[in-house]
Amino acid sequence: MMDYLRVYEEWCNDPYFDPDTRRELKGLRDNPKEIEDRFYRNLEFGTGGLRGVLGAGTNRMNVYTVRLATQGLANYILRQNGQKKGVVIAHDSRRMSPEFSREAALCLNANGIRTYLFESLRPTPELSFAVRQLGCIAGICVTASHNPREYNGYKVYWEDGAQITPPHDRNILAEVAQVQSFSQVKIIDESDARVSGLFRVIGTDFDDLYLNEVRRQSVRNQGAEGRNCELQSGRSPYSEERSCSGGCCDRSAVIAEHAIPFADEVRIVYTPLHGAGCVPVRRLLSSLGFSKVYVVGEQKDPDGDFPTVSYPNPEDDGAWELALQLAQKWMRTLSWRQTRTRIASACG
């Protein structure tokens, strides 16, 4: 067990830590059990990445533990000579997800590794697709999946678009374990990272590319060559200004090509459960001709507090209470159970 009281005092007094973090920890001086729980160990980097309760401390998810893990990942990427390939970073709707994503990007940039950061939350399958589409060596998705609202996490994907597997998982674990001090963590200002060309932002044009590929996976479209998309072919390196001029991403053209017969007769109830799925799922269904899609209004907006459910897990029957209530208003209704665009898993 680490000398947690000594480490606790360091976090309380070292100016490396921001004032809010130090203030939060100093408020725990009369709670020795909480101090011990926050500092008796370092948050464990498991086979898939990090996951833990949000808060200040070595055993919590915060910008500092994210930096430590990212430095270990950066060290491994450098050993693989993958810095020029870069890393894609996405995040979900959970609390602190945008901040953790940016911290991870800047730590990688400080190590000379290019990053592609989605401008806002995106579904996990789009991150997997982006890793392969952009030819990156790795991807990071800041998410805690279906854990309680107090949690957040950090999952690592390799160049095949899947979560890390042997030998990469073991090797990354070993590198992360070697980062024992914040003095080993490299950081850079975002402005400097942007000027150097290492910090890049992925915009909505990439969503068009992703959804076009999802449509291609439809059973109805199997074997069809589809339109020739310059984005999909990879003839142009990705940039924030890149757009498709071939017409394949034009919404009206897409509907005309991909519409499923009788789709407009099907009624669908959909709940994103406050996650990242609402916009891409509705766009995808619309492009396939599904016009009668009813979204649970109370759960359509991204919200890391998940205010309408006690546990944001689609395997929990309670999570579907509002969706089933809405479905009961319609006959022959399909209640589509998913928190993110799982329809896109065929691309994974």
Side-chain angles (χ1 to χ4, degrees), residues 170-243:
R170 297 191 299 269
N171 295 338
I172 293 173
L173 282 169
E175 291 289 352
V176 172
Q178 293 300 313
V179 184
Q180 294 291 319
S181 168
F182 290 107
S183 63
Q184 298 174 261
V185 177
K186 297 181 180 179
I187 55 177
I188 187 175
D189 289 335
E190 182 177 328
S191 58
D192 293 335
R194 286 180 179 269
V195 169
S196 69
L198 294 173
F199 186 100
R200 301 190 179 188
V201 177
I202 300 179
T204 56
D205 60 321
F206 197 88
D207 300 337
D208 296 329
L209 171 61
Y210 167 65
L211 292 177
N212 187 56
E213 180 60 25
V214 174
R215 283 186 290 267
R216 286 164 50 87
Q217 306 306 312
S218 168
V219 173
R220 180 176 179 270
N221 292 309
Q222 291 297 310
E225 295 183 0
R227 297 173 183 266
N228 184 21
C229 176
E230 64 189 36
L231 301 186
Q232 181 178 332
S233 67
R235 289 196 295 272
S236 302
Y238 185 81
S239 71
E240 293 142 17
E241 295 77 28
R242 190 177 71 169
S243 61

Side-chain angles (χ1 to χ4, degrees), residues 3-14:
D3 184 0
Y4 69 89
L5 288 177
R6 176 184 58 79
V7 179
Y8 165 73
E9 291 297 336
E10 290 177 357
W11 279 59
C12 285
N13 298 296
D14 192 332

Side-chain angles (χ1 to χ4, degrees), residues 77-297:
I77 290 173
L78 293 174
R79 292 183 185 279
Q80 300 296 307
N81 295 315
Q83 57 267 34
K84 292 184 178 179
K85 290 184 177 181
V87 177
V88 186
I89 304 175
H91 68 82
D92 66 3
S93 63
R94 286 178 178 268
R95 288 179 288 164
M96 295 298 294
S97 286
E99 292 84 351
F100 293 161
S101 298
R102 192 166 299 273
E103 287 291 339
L106 293 175
C107 181
L108 291 168
N109 296 157
N111 284 273
I113 301 170
R114 178 178 297 169
T115 59
Y116 301 86
L117 179 67
F118 278 99
E119 62 181 2
S120 59
L121 77 172
R122 291 298 191 279
T124 301
E126 187 167 358
L127 179 280
S128 174
F129 174 73
V131 170
R132 290 167 291 152
Q133 181 64 25
L134 300 177
C136 292
I137 192 169
I140 297 171
C141 190
V142 178
T143 176
S145 299
H146 306 138
N147 280 269
R149 60 177 61 88
E150 297 82 10
Y151 284 73
N152 209 331
Y154 171 115
K155 295 182 179 180
V156 179
Y157 295 72
W158 205 240
E159 57 190 344
D160 58 356
Q163 288 192 53
I164 49 175
T165 56
H168 303 297
D169 55 354
R170 297 191 299 269
N171 295 338
I172 293 173
L173 282 169
E175 291 289 352
V176 172
Q178 293 300 313
V179 184
Q180 294 291 319
S181 168
F182 290 107
S183 63
Q184 298 174 261
V185 177
K186 297 181 180 179
I187 55 177
I188 187 175
D189 289 335
E190 182 177 328
S191 58
D192 293 335
R194 286 180 179 269
V195 169
S196 69
L198 294 173
F199 186 100
R200 301 190 179 188
V201 177
I202 300 179
T204 56
D205 60 321
F206 197 88
D207 300 337
D208 296 329
L209 171 61
Y210 167 65
L211 292 177
N212 187 56
E213 180 60 25
V214 174
R215 283 186 290 267
R216 286 164 50 87
Q217 306 306 312
S218 168
V219 173
R220 180 176 179 270
N221 292 309
Q222 291 297 310
E225 295 183 0
R227 297 173 183 266
N228 184 21
C229 176
E230 64 189 36
L231 301 186
Q232 181 178 332
S233 67
R235 289 196 295 272
S236 302
Y238 185 81
S239 71
E240 293 142 17
E241 295 77 28
R242 190 177 71 169
S243 61
C244 173
S245 60
C248 65
C249 295
D250 177 76
R251 196 167 300 180
S252 60
V254 165
I255 293 175
E257 178 177 356
H258 294 280
I260 295 175
F262 311 114
D264 60 345
E265 298 180 14
V266 178
R267 290 170 174 164
I268 298 175
V269 169
Y270 169 66
T271 175
L273 286 179
H274 303 292
C278 191
V279 172
V281 166
R282 293 175 75 176
R283 282 193 58 192
L284 178 62
L285 291 174
S286 175
S287 71
L288 294 173
F290 293 98
S291 59
K292 296 181 175 64
V293 179
Y294 306 97
V295 179
V296 177

